[in-house]
Amino acid sequence: LLTLPEEQREQVRSVLLSRAHQRLGSRGSDRLRRFSRWLEGQPAFDFVVDGPNVGYANQNFEGGRFSFAQVAEVVSMLQRAGKRVLLILPAKYARDVVPNHTSSSQPDDRITAADRALLDGWRSEGLLYTTGPGMYDDWYWMLATVGRGDSQPVAVTNDAMRDHWADLLPARDFARWRASKVVPFSFG
């Protein structure tokens, strides 16, 4: 895989920390720094899963909801291939009632016992990282892909990142990073 040189990875890290600071002040940048330090203390991950993007895929219909089962399917497929996986979820998706960002008329959903078992299992396996309130989960998986040393996992997401690239990197370098560090998924 093509990777960005350390200077460009540092630029992306710096821009993400700045965005978090702009959004939430030092509390935001501190949360992202804490995540970065946590990552550095972990064995290298092969993949980082954008939980909301996977969980909401194909769910934009009446009765659609965040699908923990879809997230589990992606995580399990990667684990069966012998890959070390990091799952990023906003903290609000680890609660008993989660938001519903589909076209469904139901604004929130109570998680099922099966959903709770998945969350508990991911926690006990050490592969779940929940983001703090007000933080964009995308910042976390993007930061993970430009980690220091050997920990530069590939992100699993269908996020087109139209709202992210502007000041992260020059357009050509951003396209190179996206081509080498982001893989799409589908359910068939």
Side-chain angles (χ1 to χ4, degrees), residues 65-68 89 91-99 108-120 122-123:
R65 65 188 297 267
F66 182 84
S67 174
F68 287 93
L89 277 179
K92 61 188 171 187
Y93 290 93
R95 297 184 182 134
D96 290 336
V97 176
V98 299
D108 299 305
D109 284 302
R110 182 162 294 283
I111 67 169
T112 66
D115 297 338
R116 175 58 59 202
L118 288 169
L119 282 166
D120 292 345
W122 294 328
R123 264 197 201 97

Side-chain angles (χ1 to χ4, degrees), residues 6 11 18 22 24 26 30 33 36 43 61 71 82 84 101 109 111 130 141 149 154 158 168 170 176 185:
E6 176 56 32
Q11 176 184 345
S18 175
Q22 288 171 0
L24 294 171
S26 61
D30 288 349
R33 276 191 194 90
S36 184
F61 56 88
V71 175
R84 184 158 155 72
H101 296 296
D109 284 302
I111 67 169
T130 55
W141 62 256
V154 173
N158 286 337
L168 280 178
R176 187 180 75 201
F185 63 91

Side-chain angles (χ1 to χ4, degrees), residues 146-157:
V146 294
R148 291 183 173 88
D150 293 335
S151 187
Q152 297 170 40
V154 173
V156 178
T157 184

Side-chain angles (χ1 to χ4, degrees), residues 20-122:
H21 188 81
Q22 288 171 0
R23 182 168 171 87
L24 294 171
S26 61
R27 189 179 66 200
S29 52
D30 288 349
R31 286 180 182 156
L32 223 43
R33 276 191 194 90
R34 190 174 321 122
F35 172 67
S36 184
R37 285 191 304 272
W38 178 85
L39 268 179
E40 289 172 14
Q42 302 297 310
F45 291 98
D46 300 304
F47 287 90
V48 57
V49 176
D50 178 359
N53 189 268
V54 173
Y56 280 122
N58 304 324
Q59 294 295 312
N60 204 19
F61 56 88
E62 183 58 43
R65 65 188 297 267
F66 182 84
S67 174
F68 287 93
Q70 287 181 177
V71 175
E73 186 176 336
V74 169
V75 168
S76 294
M77 181 207 60
L78 293 168
Q79 288 177 318
R80 282 192 309 272
K83 303 302 179 185
R84 184 158 155 72
V85 180
L86 171 61
L87 170 60
I88 302 292
L89 277 179
K92 61 188 171 187
Y93 290 93
R95 297 184 182 134
D96 290 336
V97 176
V98 299
N100 188 338
H101 296 296
T102 69
S103 60
S104 179
S105 57
Q106 187 76 15
D108 299 305
D109 284 302
R110 182 162 294 283
I111 67 169
T112 66
D115 297 338
R116 175 58 59 202
L118 288 169
L119 282 166
D120 292 345
W122 294 328

